[in-house]
Amino acid sequence: MEKIFDCLINSFIEDKVGIAENFLSIPLAAHLKENLIALFENKKLLNAGIGNNAVINQDKLIRSDVIYWLDRKHNNQYENDFFDLMDEFVIYLNRTCYTGITGYEFHYTLYEAGTFYKKHIDQFQNNGSRQYSMVMYLNAGWKAEDGGELRIYHTDDEQNISPDNGKSVFFKSSDLAHEVLLTNTPRMSITGWLKIG
């Protein structure tokens, strides 16, 4: 995995946006997708909010995805496999880049056809603990006409990233505004943040 970790970190250093294909293995991505679909079918996914608990706001004109938080307490084999991978990545990131990450939080994310998330920044105004944003995609066979790209706003241009299966995207939570463009087919991922404090 160190080669894939290096790819993610080096592309982040070069362009402020790290991208690594196959960060999630095909089997793990498939199992996590199965979990997400089962949670959705059992009505466990909740409307995502804007802001943290102190300023929660659910505005469908800004954001229309549904989510479910991952937790080791669920004792789900594949969630725990994912957490083991993230533990390995955080140790490697701290060792090679001295980032001081002490924790993380991740949720399943589902955008149904016709949904989106308008331009935003991931760090709360009243809490700076989120240091890096990470997304891992669960969309096998994604096509350009499916839409749903992650658009990242750099100072001088825009970057569109397709949500291909197993791909990870990594960037500083406080630095880059971004949005999820309108998706034309269900779009699934695990989304979260590496944190300090």
Side-chain angles (χ1 to χ4, degrees):
M1 283 303 298
E2 288 190 1
K3 187 174 181 180
I4 294 173
F5 293 166
D6 281 336
C7 179
L8 193 64
I9 293 166
N10 291 337
S11 54
F12 166 77
I13 291 169
E14 290 169 12
D15 195 35
K16 295 188 175 181
V17 179
I19 300 175
E21 308 292 339
N22 307 310
F23 187 91
L24 296 182
S25 68
I26 290 173
L28 180 56
H31 288 304
L32 291 168
K33 181 176 181 176
E34 288 170 5
N35 282 357
L36 195 166
I37 291 170
L39 289 163
F40 177 71
E41 290 174 346
N42 289 305
K43 301 188 181 342
K44 299 290 188 182
L45 297 181
L46 301 175
N47 290 330
I50 303 155
N52 59 9
N53 290 335
V55 291
I56 197 71
N57 177 23
Q58 292 178 344
D59 189 338
K60 295 283 190 175
L61 297 176
I62 297 173
R63 175 176 192 178
S64 46
D65 54 320
V66 288
I67 67 170
Y68 183 88
W69 291 96
L70 281 75
D71 195 317
R72 282 196 185 270
K73 293 177 184 174
H74 297 156
N75 289 321
N76 179 278
Q77 176 186 342
Y78 304 113
E79 285 187 29
N80 288 343
D81 288 346
F82 171 78
F83 284 131
D84 290 345
L85 173 62
M86 293 314 306
D87 288 342
E88 189 180 343
F89 177 64
V90 167
I91 289 168
Y92 189 77
L93 184 67
N94 283 341
R95 189 175 80 237
T96 59
C97 300
Y98 309 105
T99 50
I101 297 302
T102 57
Y104 49 67
E105 57 187 4
F106 286 96
H107 57 66
Y108 293 107
T109 309
L110 170 64
Y111 288 86
E112 296 181 78
T115 63
F116 53 84
Y117 191 170
K118 294 293 188 183
K119 186 177 178 180
H120 64 284
I121 292 277
D122 277 352
Q123 197 171 76
F124 301 130
Q125 291 182 349
N126 61 352
N127 183 340
S129 64
R130 290 179 175 177
Q131 295 297 298
Y132 297 95
S133 301
M134 287 191 76
V135 188
M136 278 73 47
Y137 294 112
L138 308 174
N139 307 297
W142 197 263
K143 304 180 292 297
E145 58 266 30
D146 294 333
E149 293 95 345
L150 175 65
R151 174 170 289 172
I152 296 189
Y153 292 88
H154 295 271
T155 304
D156 299 321
D157 65 345
E158 299 167 1
Q159 177 182 9
N160 287 351
I161 301 168
S162 61
D164 301 307
N165 195 53
K167 178 189 289 180
S168 180
V169 181
F170 174 79
F171 55 92
K172 198 90 167 63
S173 298
S174 60
D175 285 1
L176 295 176
H178 53 284
E179 68 177 302
V180 175
L181 301 180
L182 182 72
T183 185
N184 300 315
T185 192
R187 175 194 190 274
M188 288 168 265
S189 66
I190 291 178
T191 303
W193 301 272
L194 306 186
K195 304 173 72 176
I196 59 171

